[in-house]
């Protein structure tokens, strides 16, 4: 906080400091200096008093000296010239018979942080290393680290480093630890202190002499030591074993960290045993009086549980929340409780969690409800009973979270859907926030046939769609209404009509509008096609494993143990997929809907369309956009040879036509000369792909979206049910070569393609094709159920062509197999 | 590694700021305070990051104690260090409050200078520090007659009548060499915190007791102190000692300076206390209590015809009639939207009020003698009360303090100092049990 009247105060203080009467009376002098420091720590800029304070430095009064040094160290960097005056006093103090004065002088000399003073500091520092008093040596050792930080790029004096190494044998444990610290900093570029066998043994033997902080430091440095033999390793481990049960949590944590780093590659059993041994001290820390320590311990218990899921199961009651605990502790405790649920304690845990659901803090209440939802994956009946009961409260934030939790639950446990459908009635009036309403709409859409009032609830939503602000809710409403229309057309037709009309005619959000248009056209194609597109999976039971989840290896998290990482706010989200923390983003069913038919979910449809608008935006590497089923397919070409497909620069239909026809369809006179010319850099390949579906009967949009996902743009296609069925497409291949100079200069090629399905008349069409494209290179023939692929590439690059065909084939197979 | 350390008042005033490494700018303080105030409602989490800055903070004495550090720092070490720093400052300044920190800023800077150098913790032991610390503490406590009224009768024999003045243990350790003339005292406190969950049927669902023995020493020189615990004291389930009612704890750990050579046989701890406050022993007991839990609640909750919520609470204290609980506060969560409260309490010194921001009725009882039973009737006006909103009533939380009582039954038999101190030395043993969290489901 800036202190008002600061300038006046500074003037006043200067007058007092330079008053000879004040200077004569050392108590008054000290009090005036005290005032300066007080004003300084309130945030007033007192840099103007620097020269007066330099004078005050020459005194025999140690308290006054200390105060002046506090001031000088804060402002020295602003007054490098005047600081030179202090150095003399400081150097004189370094000769003082009192070790306290010597250490004080040395410490402050190095704390001034002025590179210009380094030359004056080195000599007293060197003398300080050999001082009789340990307190001076402690300061001197760290002083070298400070000097090094001032000039990080200068060479390190080898003599100093050697001296510091030899001082590891100093009698004073703090000096020893300080040597380690200083060397770590000075030799950072070489990777810190070289811990050889002699040093490691020396440190281990002297561990007991150090205090808590020193032990932590030594244990941390020892993490770098690698014992040569297993015997040696076990010697070290058994020496450190008692520290695992140390009553000082920092030492316990540092020891466990060392155990993990020593054993994690080769000896998983030992690290597991170490984890089990530390559960006692960690539990004790969870009951510590300090909330912050409790929190730290809880976060680390979560880490341990990733590898030892059953650990502390017997102590689950220790993770019940105290009513006065801060919300951040309560949330972590609930996350741990979810992990510890088993057949014996589930009733008690749920009773406890139920109590938190009505907590006055909405965050705690939400965390409790999500936790119940997670437990519901294994014990659905009991949890659903609680969740349904909570809906009766008719409170906005509770209902919203309950509905979202139910959405997640239905997705992983299809057997719950009946009870959820029963419970849903009436909660639409309570829901206010968009996430809750989206969840409700999703549930209504997917299970519309089982919720008796679904069409009427949707109708109410449609009536208010004009005042709806969230685009997410609108897209969800669109797809929900479509789905309910499919199963209950009579009740929904009118509502759907109004909704589509509104979205197409009046909606300003492009995403929503495009999706409405898509559905509209889809309905034109026929009800069966619509059904095929819209009806995706309703659940994915494979996600719902809570009990019997495989344990992660310790090495997954060992590096973040005993760092700030596990305590971060967002941490719960990052590993929630595996860890099971309640989190809505990852558990949301929509992204994981079967992507073979990406239009079946509103969200995906909207995104696909959105992506189609600016093709340049989709120029990322294919593998980034690929959902799981495609990623695997693409691995050989995108991973191995680094081929990527991209949509930019976009081709306009005219350009496409020109290029396509230019290469393929000049059957007559001009052809000769031109083809000759372009023969070297232009290639045309034909191939047939066996497909099990009848492409022309299915929706072209599904195929279009699938191709889009692998960055192939469809240019044009024939309407369904027409023969021959054709699709024109293009893409750019690009080599992402790890070698700086790729084999050919232009690594980008343009690929144009045609998919042709001729149905039963394949033979005849092939003849025709042969006639038309007689001179082209051709592979394969056409058979029943095959799609003929004609591809044209410019400039020629056989490798890229092969990669492209691989991608295309894989995509077609995936689409056809769905 | 500690880059900066600062202490902020709850309003964001800079009390202490010390930059150990000159790596981050002074605006870190402002950044921190902005982050803290940006959070609404909930308490800020312990670790916060802003670009390259990582803040670890604790709250003690209504102040923010903040450290900026690197991402790979050990949170256990830093949190423990901050806790230790607060006890150090409490030892040196007498008490921990915004006022005492403001008044003793010079002393705190001096302490910080010795405790941390270049961002590395050097020492936190009062024995070493007392050689370096020169500044005298300024006691922030004004003289008050009230303090004197607590002083017990001198010369009385029984322990009960010998009551330490309440302010005695909140004075700075260093002032003894001043004009007060070395009043060498030693306090041994047995402090237990219990967290209990009692089910709606009155069954004890969960009980945890965390206890510790704290020694606060004002003696400049004390060679050895022997603390004798109950001879029946046993650790773990298997080990039972003596013939009387066993005093049992599950786990027990000692400060590394404690010598345990007589512990196994005679249950004697030997310590050489250094000045200031130290935790000599910590212990835990879970899942069972040697005696009945101190409070039982018999609630009757119903809706009346007029849409009002009637809560009839009967609270019984099961302590021994000689002891009593103080500062008992009962918190009953009530349905959202509760408007007004009418109450009938059994005595005038009790108070009750409805606090809408915590959505709860708070019933305060300043003193609750053992064996007594108090009752209260609350009538709440709740618009739109439905049967489902009854779910929002409860669980009831109790907070209280039980002076001169340990729920494990741990006692200190004797306290001997060697060499025997000259007459002025005084030894005090105090017992207290706090409720960490005492929840009764309805």
């Amino acid at each position: 906080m800036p202190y008002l009247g600061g300038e006046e105060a500074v003037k006043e203080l200067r007058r007092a400091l330079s008053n000879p009467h004040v200077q004569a009376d050392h108590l008054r002098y000290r009090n005036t200096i005290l005032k300066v420091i007080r004003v300084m720590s309130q945030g007033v800029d007192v840099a103007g008093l620097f020269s007066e304070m330099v004078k005050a430095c020459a005194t025999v009064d140690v308290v006054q000296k200390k105060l002046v040094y506090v001031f000088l160290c804060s402002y020295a960097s602003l007054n490098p010239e005047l600081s030179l005056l202090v150095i003399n006093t400081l150097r004189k103090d370094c000769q003082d018979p009192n070790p306290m004065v010597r250490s004080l002088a040395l410490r402050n000399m190095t704390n001034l942080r002025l590179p210009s003073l380094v030359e004056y500091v080195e000599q007293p520092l060197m003398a300080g290393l050999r001082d009789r008093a340990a307190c001076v040596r402690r300061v001197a050792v760290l002083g070298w680290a400070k000097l090094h930080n001032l000039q990080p790029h200068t060479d390190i004096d080898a003599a100093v480093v050697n001296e510091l190494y030899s001082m590891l044998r100093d009698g004073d444990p703090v000096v020893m630890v300080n040597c380690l610290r200083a060397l770590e900093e000075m030799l950072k570029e070489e990777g810190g202190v070289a811990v050889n066998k002699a040093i490691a043994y020396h440190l281990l033997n002297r561990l007991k002499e150090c205090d808590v902080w020193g032990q932590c430091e030594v244990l941390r440095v020892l993490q770098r030591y690698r014992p040569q033999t297993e015997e040696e390793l076990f010697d070290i481990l058994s020496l450190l074993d008692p520290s695992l049960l140390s009553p000082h949590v920092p030492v316990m944590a540092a020891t466990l960290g060392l155990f993990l780093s020593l054993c994690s590659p080769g000896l998983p059993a030992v690290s597991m045993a170490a984890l089990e041994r530390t559960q006692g001290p960690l539990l004790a820390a969870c009951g510590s009086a300090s909330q912050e320590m409790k929190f730290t311990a809880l976060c680390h218990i979560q880490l341990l549980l990733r590898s030892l899921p059953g650990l502390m199961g017997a102590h689950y009651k220790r993770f019940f929340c105290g009513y006065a605990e801060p919300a951040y502790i309560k949330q972590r405790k609930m996350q741990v409780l979810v992990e510890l649920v088993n057949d014996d304690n589930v009733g008690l845990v749920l009773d406890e969690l139920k109590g938190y659901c009505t907590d006055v803090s909405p965050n705690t209440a939400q965390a409790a409800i999500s936790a119940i939802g997670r437990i519901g994956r294994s014990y659905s009946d009991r949890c659903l009973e609680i969740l349904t009961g909570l809906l009766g409260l008719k409170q906005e934030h509770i209902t919203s979270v309950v509905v979202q939790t139910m959405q997640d639950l239905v997705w992983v446990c299809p057997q719950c859907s009946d009870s959820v459908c029963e419970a849903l009635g009436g909660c639409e009036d309570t829901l206010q926030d968009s996430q809750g309403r989206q969840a409700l709409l999703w549930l209504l859409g997917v299970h519309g046939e089982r919720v008796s009032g679904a069409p009427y609830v949707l109708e109410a939503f449609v009536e208010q769609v004009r005042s709806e602000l969230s685009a997410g809710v609108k897209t969800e409403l669109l797809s929900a209404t479509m789905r309910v229309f499919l199963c209950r057309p009579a009740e929904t037709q009118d509502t759907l009509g109004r909704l589509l009309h509104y979205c197409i005619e009046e909606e300003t959000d492009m995403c929503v509008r495009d999706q409405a248009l898509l559905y509209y056209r889809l309905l034109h194609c026929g009800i069966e096609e619509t059904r095929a597109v819209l009806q995706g999976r309703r659940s994915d039971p494979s996600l719902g494993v809570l009990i019997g989840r495989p344990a992660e290896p310790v090495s997954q998290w060992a590096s973040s143990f005993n760092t700030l990482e596990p305590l971060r706010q967002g941490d719960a989200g990052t590993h929630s997929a595996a860890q099971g923390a309640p989190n809505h983003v990852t558990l949301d069913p929509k992204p994981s809907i079967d992507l073979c038919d990406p239009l079946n979910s509103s969200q995906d449809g909207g995104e696909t369309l959105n992506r189609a608008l600016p093709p340049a935006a989709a120029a990322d590497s294919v593998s980034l956009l690929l959902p799981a089923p495609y990623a695997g397919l693409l691995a050989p070409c995108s991973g191995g040879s680094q081929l990527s497909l991209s949509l930019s620069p976009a081709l306009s239909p005219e350009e496409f036509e020109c290029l396509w026809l230019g290469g393929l369809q000049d059957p007559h006179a001009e052809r000769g000369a031109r083809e000759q010319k372009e023969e070297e850099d232009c290639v045309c390949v034909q191939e047939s792909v066996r497909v099990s579906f009848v492409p022309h009967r299915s929706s072209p949009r599904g195929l279009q979206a699938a191709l889009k996902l692998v960055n192939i743009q469809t240019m044009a296609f024939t309407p369904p049910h027409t023969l021959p069925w054709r699709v024109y497409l293009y893409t750019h291949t690009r080599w992402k070569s790890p070698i700086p100079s790729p084999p050919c200069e232009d690594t980008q090629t343009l690929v144009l393609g045609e998919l042709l399905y001729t149905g039963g008349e394949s033979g005849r069409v092939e003849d025709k094709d042969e006639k038309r494209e007689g001179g082209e290179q051709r592979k394969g023939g056409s058979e029943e159920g095959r799609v003929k692929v004609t591809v044209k590439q410019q400039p020629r690059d056989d490798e890229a062509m092969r990669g492209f065909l691989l991608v295309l084939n894989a995509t077609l197979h995936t689409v056809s197999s769905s | 590694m500690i880059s900066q350390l600062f202490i902020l008042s709850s309003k964001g005033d800079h009390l202490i700021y010390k930059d150990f490494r000159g790596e981050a700018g002074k605006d870190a303080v402002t950044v921190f305070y902005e982050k803290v105030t940006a959070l609404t409602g909930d308490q800020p989490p312990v670790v916060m990051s802003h670009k390259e800055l990582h803040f670890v903070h604790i709250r003690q004495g209504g102040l923010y104690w903040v450290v900026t550090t690197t991402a790979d720092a050990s949170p256990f070490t830093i949190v423990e260090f901050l806790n230790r720093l607060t006890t150090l400052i409490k030892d040196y300044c007498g008490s921990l409050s915004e006022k005492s920190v403001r008044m003793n800023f010079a002393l705190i800077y001096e302490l910080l200078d010795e405790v941390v150098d270049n961002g590395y913790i050097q020492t936190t032991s009062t024995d070493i520090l007392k050689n370096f610390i020169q500044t005298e503490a300024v006691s922030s406590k004004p003289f008050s007659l009230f303090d004197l009224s607590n002083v017990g009768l001198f010369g009385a024999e029984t322990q009960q009548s010998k009551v330490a003045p309440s302010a005695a243990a909140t004075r700075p350790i260093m002032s003894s060499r001043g004009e007060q003339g070395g009043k060498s005292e030693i306090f041994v406190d047995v402090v237990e915190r219990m967290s209990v969950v009692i089910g709606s049927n009155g069954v004890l669902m969960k009980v945890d007791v965390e206890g510790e023995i704290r020694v606060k020493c004002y003696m400049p020189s004390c060679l050895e102190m022997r603390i004798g615990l109950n001879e029946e004291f046993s650790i773990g389930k298997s080990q039972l000692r003596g013939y009387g009612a066993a005093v049992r704890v599950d786990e027990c750990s000692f400060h590394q300076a404690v010598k345990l050579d007589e512990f196994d046989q005679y249950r004697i701890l030997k310590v050489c206390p250094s000045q200031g406050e130290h935790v000599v022993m910590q212990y835990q007991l879970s899942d069972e209590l040697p005696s009945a839990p101190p409070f039982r609640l018999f609630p009757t909750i119903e809706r009346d015809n007029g849409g009002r919520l009637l809560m009839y609470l009967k609270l019984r204290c099961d302590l021994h009639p000689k002891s009593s609980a103080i500062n008992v506060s009962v918190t009953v969560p009530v349905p959202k939207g509760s408007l007004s409260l009418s109450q009938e309490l059994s005595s005038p010194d009790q108070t009750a009020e409805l606090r809408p921001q915590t959505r709860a009725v708070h019933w305060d009882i300043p003193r609750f003698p053992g064996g007594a039973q108090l009752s209260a009737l609350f009538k709440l006006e709740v618009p739109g009360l439905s049967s489902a909103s009854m779910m929002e009533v409860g669980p009831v939380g109790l907070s209280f303090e039980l002076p001169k009582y340990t729920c494990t039954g741990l006692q200190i038999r004797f306290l001997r100092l060697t060499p025997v101190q000259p007459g002025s030395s005084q030894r005090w043993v105090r017992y207290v049990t706090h409720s960490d969290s005492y929840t009764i489901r309805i």
Side-chain angles (χ1 to χ4, degrees), chain A residues 29 53-61 64-65 68-69 89 92:
Chain A
Y29 203 23
M53 292 299 272
V54 169
K55 269 180 229 148
C57 172
T59 170
V60 285
D61 181 6
Q64 179 174 335
K65 246 186 218 300
V68 174
Y69 289 151
T89 324
K92 210 165 74 209

Side-chain angles (χ1 to χ4, degrees), chain A residues 569-696:
Chain A
Q569 208 173 3
D571 183 60
T574 55
H575 53 78
S576 69
Q579 233 256 295
N583 180 307
H584 274 276
V585 184
T586 44
L587 298 182
D588 210 36
K590 282 161 284 183
S592 33
I593 277 178
D594 194 354
L595 276 152
C596 295
D597 202 354
L599 295 180
N600 64 355
S601 138
S602 64
Q603 203 79 344
D604 269 11
E607 270 169 26
T608 316
L609 289 168
N610 206 17
R611 245 186 268 138
L613 290 176
D620 325 286
S621 161
V622 179
S623 45
L624 284 180
L625 285 173
L626 276 185
Y630 296 112
L633 296 169
L634 262 190
C637 57
S638 66
S641 56
Q642 298 284 307
L643 176 75
S644 77
L645 302 182
S646 106
L647 294 183
S648 67
L651 282 188
S652 70
E654 292 78 31
E655 285 171 316
F656 182 87
E657 198 180 337
C658 179
L659 284 165
W660 181 258
L661 296 178
L664 272 178
Q665 272 202 348
D666 29 11
H668 304 304
E670 325 134 56
R671 177 181 155 190
R674 197 161 158 196
E675 197 68 6
Q676 297 289 319
K677 216 187 321 167
E678 289 193 352
E679 203 171 28
E680 258 136 63
D681 51 35
C682 187
V683 68
C684 190
V685 176
Q686 277 191 8
E687 200 174 80
S688 65
V689 182
R690 178 186 292 279
V691 283
S692 57
F693 76 131
V694 191
H696 72 285

Side-chain angles (χ1 to χ4, degrees), chain B residues 68-88:
Chain B
T68 62
T69 179
T70 48
D72 61 345
S74 156
F76 286 109
T77 311
I78 290 182
V79 170
E80 178 80 5
F81 167 71
L82 285 172
N83 282 329
R84 178 74 193 127
L85 184 71
T86 55
T87 37
L88 258 185

Side-chain angles (χ1 to χ4, degrees), chain A residues 317, chain B residues 196-199 201-207 287-289 293:
Chain A
K317 283 182 180 170
Chain B
V196 172
V197 177
I198 297 176
N201 49 0
V203 175
L204 198 59
M205 312 273 293
K206 165 203 161 165
V207 59
D287 297 336
E288 58 176 293
L289 274 182

Side-chain angles (χ1 to χ4, degrees), chain A residues 778-793:
Chain A
R778 178 180 303 152
K779 279 186 199 164
S782 67
E783 289 161 35
E784 190 68 32
R786 276 178 176 256
V787 170
K788 187 151 83 172
V789 182
T790 313
V791 181
K792 198 166 150 46
Q793 189 189 32

Side-chain angles (χ1 to χ4, degrees), chain A residues 500-798:
Chain A
L500 284 177
H501 183 266
Y502 168 78
C503 289
I504 294 171
E505 295 295 325
E506 293 176 52
E507 178 59 46
T508 49
D509 189 292
M510 287 311 281
C511 248
V512 180
R513 191 173 165 269
D514 279 354
Q515 197 186 354
L517 274 172
L518 169 75
Y519 287 149
Y520 182 69
R521 292 180 189 143
L522 201 55
L523 288 169
H524 271 288
C525 299
I527 200 77
E528 282 312 309
E529 280 72 14
T530 316
R531 201 182 294 280
V533 168
L534 274 174
Q535 262 166 2
R537 295 166 71 180
R538 291 168 165 196
S539 62
D540 185 1
S542 65
L543 286 177
V545 197
L546 180 65
I547 287 178
R549 191 164 35 79
E552 272 180 69
V554 177
S555 54
Q556 290 267 313
W557 51 265
S559 60
S560 66
F561 182 81
N562 204 11
T563 67
L564 299 186
E565 195 58 40
L567 279 78
R568 292 273 168 69
Q569 208 173 3
D571 183 60
T574 55
H575 53 78
S576 69
Q579 233 256 295
N583 180 307
H584 274 276
V585 184
T586 44
L587 298 182
D588 210 36
K590 282 161 284 183
S592 33
I593 277 178
D594 194 354
L595 276 152
C596 295
D597 202 354
L599 295 180
N600 64 355
S601 138
S602 64
Q603 203 79 344
D604 269 11
E607 270 169 26
T608 316
L609 289 168
N610 206 17
R611 245 186 268 138
L613 290 176
D620 325 286
S621 161
V622 179
S623 45
L624 284 180
L625 285 173
L626 276 185
Y630 296 112
L633 296 169
L634 262 190
C637 57
S638 66
S641 56
Q642 298 284 307
L643 176 75
S644 77
L645 302 182
S646 106
L647 294 183
S648 67
L651 282 188
S652 70
E654 292 78 31
E655 285 171 316
F656 182 87
E657 198 180 337
C658 179
L659 284 165
W660 181 258
L661 296 178
L664 272 178
Q665 272 202 348
D666 29 11
H668 304 304
E670 325 134 56
R671 177 181 155 190
R674 197 161 158 196
E675 197 68 6
Q676 297 289 319
K677 216 187 321 167
E678 289 193 352
E679 203 171 28
E680 258 136 63
D681 51 35
C682 187
V683 68
C684 190
V685 176
Q686 277 191 8
E687 200 174 80
S688 65
V689 182
R690 178 186 292 279
V691 283
S692 57
F693 76 131
V694 191
H696 72 285
R697 284 208 199 118
S698 70
S699 152
R701 278 168 211 269
L703 178 68
Q704 183 184 17
L707 287 171
K708 188 88 195 178
L709 280 169
V710 292
N711 272 1
I712 298 174
Q713 176 72 49
T714 34
M715 209 63 217
F717 39 79
T718 50
H721 301 286
T722 46
L723 281 174
W725 175 85
R726 281 173 208 273
V727 175
Y728 289 96
L729 43 86
Y730 77 86
T731 188
H732 299 275
T733 66
R734 187 176 288 149
W735 288 103
K736 283 204 177 152
S737 174
I739 314 151
S741 58
C744 57
E745 295 162 48
D746 190 4
T747 52
Q748 189 177 341
T749 68
L750 175 65
V751 178
L752 309 177
E754 180 199 42
L755 306 182
L756 179 68
Y757 178 72
T758 50
E761 309 158 291
S762 61
R764 195 168 56 79
V765 175
E766 200 205 349
D767 286 348
K768 208 166 80 186
D769 275 355
E770 201 167 8
K771 253 179 259 163
R772 202 170 61 197
E773 304 161 14
E776 312 292 346
Q777 183 185 349
R778 178 180 303 152
K779 279 186 199 164
S782 67
E783 289 161 35
E784 190 68 32
R786 276 178 176 256
V787 170
K788 187 151 83 172
V789 182
T790 313
V791 181
K792 198 166 150 46
Q793 189 189 32
Q794 186 183 24
R796 181 177 183 145
D797 183 346
D798 290 341

